């Protein structure tokens, strides 16, 4: 059947590339007959004003010509922690388990703290050997795109795994699974830019999707999304993440 990717982005203060602040985004990969419904859902998400009123809104619908990659969602684990320190400690242990050198992790935290890397819309690449940022995408970062997870299949999975059936989790697991399947990526570290959502995760093919209940302070508006990469062909890795059509199937 014909498939289409749908991408939505909403910003305040003009388009992102003109300095607008990111408000929300969405990704879908659907059959033709689902386009209308999904575009409506995305417009609802963009216009719900919970993160501010956008003055720029773009929805892009494109036919998929390449073959689609079907991926199994990463195995999921949840860690309940009592403090930010405990959560960040857990994240560091998990990154080490993925083979990221301790010195690189320390450097990565300095990269995160650098005001130049604040408020990124997409992800940063950090070289596992040098701890330096290598995506050369400035304040834009890399936006993982052209991916989706069929709602019914996600609900089955979430019910079986006793996980919240939230859109946020569906999107995060979809993204993390696509990213983990990129051979150059050794691990991902992520927490939300939503000021009242404290749960984040570390993920990779080796450890799966490991949620940590507290990775930031309540009220903090700065999120984080880092892909730890082997000195790699950055361009082909970015091309895979942005363009390869990917569907999750449990
Ligand atoms: C979860 O597993 O609860 C999702 C964590 C990351 C959410 C990032 C985001 O807000 O998009």
């Amino acid at each position: 059947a014909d498939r289409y990717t749908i991408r939505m982005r909403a910003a305040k203060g003009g388009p992102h590339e003109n300095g607008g602040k990111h408000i929300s985004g969405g990704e879908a990969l659907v059959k033709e007959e689902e386009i209308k419904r999904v575009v409506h859902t995305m417009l609802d998400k963009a216009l719900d004003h919970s993160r501010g009123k956008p003055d720029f809104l773009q929805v892009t619908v494109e036919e998929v010509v390449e073959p689609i990659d079907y991926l199994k969602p990463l195995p999921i684990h949840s860690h309940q922690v009592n403090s930010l320190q405990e959560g960040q400690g857990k994240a560091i242990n998990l990154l080490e388990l993925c083979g990221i050198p301790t010195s690189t992790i320390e450097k990565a935290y300095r990269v995160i703290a650098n005001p130049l890397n604040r408020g990124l819309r997409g992800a940063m690449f950090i070289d596992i050997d040098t701890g330096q940022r290598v995506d050369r995408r400035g304040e834009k970062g890399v936006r993982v795109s052209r991916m989706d997870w069929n709602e019914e299949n996600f609900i089955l999975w979430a019910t079986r795994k006793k996980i919240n059936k939230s859109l946020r989790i569906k999107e995060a697991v979809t993204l993390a699974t696509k990213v983990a399947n990129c051979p150059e990526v050794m691990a991902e570290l992520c927490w939300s830019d939503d000021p009242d959502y404290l749960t984040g995760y570390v993920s990779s093919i080796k450890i799966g999707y490991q949620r940590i209940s507290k990775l930031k302070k309540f009220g903090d508006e700065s999120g984080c999304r880092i892909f730890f990469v082997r000195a790699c062909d950055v361009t082909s890795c970015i091309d895979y993440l942005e363009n390869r059509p990917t569907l999750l199937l449990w």
Side-chain angles (χ1 to χ4, degrees):
D2 283 354
R3 300 276 191 157
Y4 294 79
T5 56
I6 308 175
R7 285 174 291 160
M8 178 278 284
R9 59 193 189 122
K12 191 184 177 68
H16 302 88
E17 51 276 15
N18 298 347
K21 181 177 182 288
H22 173 82
I23 288 192
S24 68
E27 293 288 337
L29 200 171
V30 298
K31 296 192 180 116
E32 185 177 359
E33 57 268 28
E34 294 169 299
I35 295 175
K36 265 194 196 168
R37 178 183 59 80
V38 172
V39 167
H40 271 262
T41 315
M42 284 196 187
L43 291 176
D44 282 341
K45 183 180 178 190
L47 297 170
D48 80 352
H49 294 191
S50 63
R51 317 246 3 236
K53 180 175 173 315
D55 56 18
F56 172 85
L57 171 53
Q58 185 178 60
V59 178
T60 310
V61 181
E62 279 177 301
E63 188 175 0
V64 173
V65 285
E66 308 91 333
I68 295 172
D69 267 359
Y70 286 88
L71 300 177
K72 256 182 83 145
L74 292 175
I76 188 164
H77 313 270
S78 299
H79 304 274
Q80 210 58 43
V81 295
N82 296 313
S83 66
L84 178 57
Q85 285 77 352
E86 191 189 339
Q88 286 293 351
K90 184 86 216 163
I92 291 168
N93 289 341
L94 290 168
L95 288 170
E96 286 170 343
L97 215 58
C98 297
I100 316 297
T102 311
S103 60
T104 297
I105 301 173
E106 282 165 7
K107 286 184 191 141
Y109 276 92
R110 268 178 256 149
V111 173
I112 299 170
N114 184 340
L116 281 178
N117 297 319
R118 274 284 151 86
L120 232 63
R121 275 113 51 202
M124 296 189 263
F125 280 26
I126 288 194
D127 186 313
I128 56 161
D129 294 319
T130 66
Q132 300 301 313
R133 188 171 168 198
V134 290
D135 55 89
R136 292 189 228 102
R137 283 296 183 89
E139 58 178 31
K140 187 168 168 249
V142 178
R143 174 173 171 175
V144 186
S145 194
R146 297 197 164 85
M147 59 191 171
D148 204 352
W149 187 355
N150 167 277
E151 185 67 17
E152 287 95 274
N153 191 254
F154 165 73
I155 298 285
L156 280 179
W157 173 88
T159 308
R160 172 70 69 85
K161 307 283 177 192
K162 299 192 170 60
I163 295 288
N164 257 345
K165 296 172 186 68
S166 78
L167 176 63
R168 188 195 297 273
I169 293 179
K170 182 176 112 165
E171 289 178 345
V173 174
T174 305
L175 184 147
T177 299
K178 181 172 183 185
V179 171
N181 278 276
C182 179
E184 287 85 9
V185 178
M186 286 192 71
E188 176 183 352
L189 168 67
C190 167
W191 60 86
S192 184
D193 55 3
D194 187 335
D196 50 20
Y197 199 83
L198 312 184
T199 302
Y201 65 87
V202 176
S203 60
S204 75
I205 283 289
K206 185 167 177 205
I207 65 164
Y209 182 87
Q210 305 244 1
R211 312 176 67 216
I212 300 167
S213 62
K214 194 164 162 93
L215 277 186
K216 61 185 260 183
K217 270 208 217 72
F218 186 85
D220 188 346
E221 280 198 18
S222 46
C224 164
R225 187 161 255 140
I226 291 183
F227 306 155
F228 289 90
V229 297
R230 288 199 187 85
C232 71
D233 180 355
V234 173
T235 326
S236 72
C237 194
I238 292 180
D239 181 55
Y240 163 84
L241 295 173
E242 290 182 333
N243 298 317
R244 179 88 67 93
T246 304
L247 280 176
L248 261 59
L249 189 60
W250 180 59

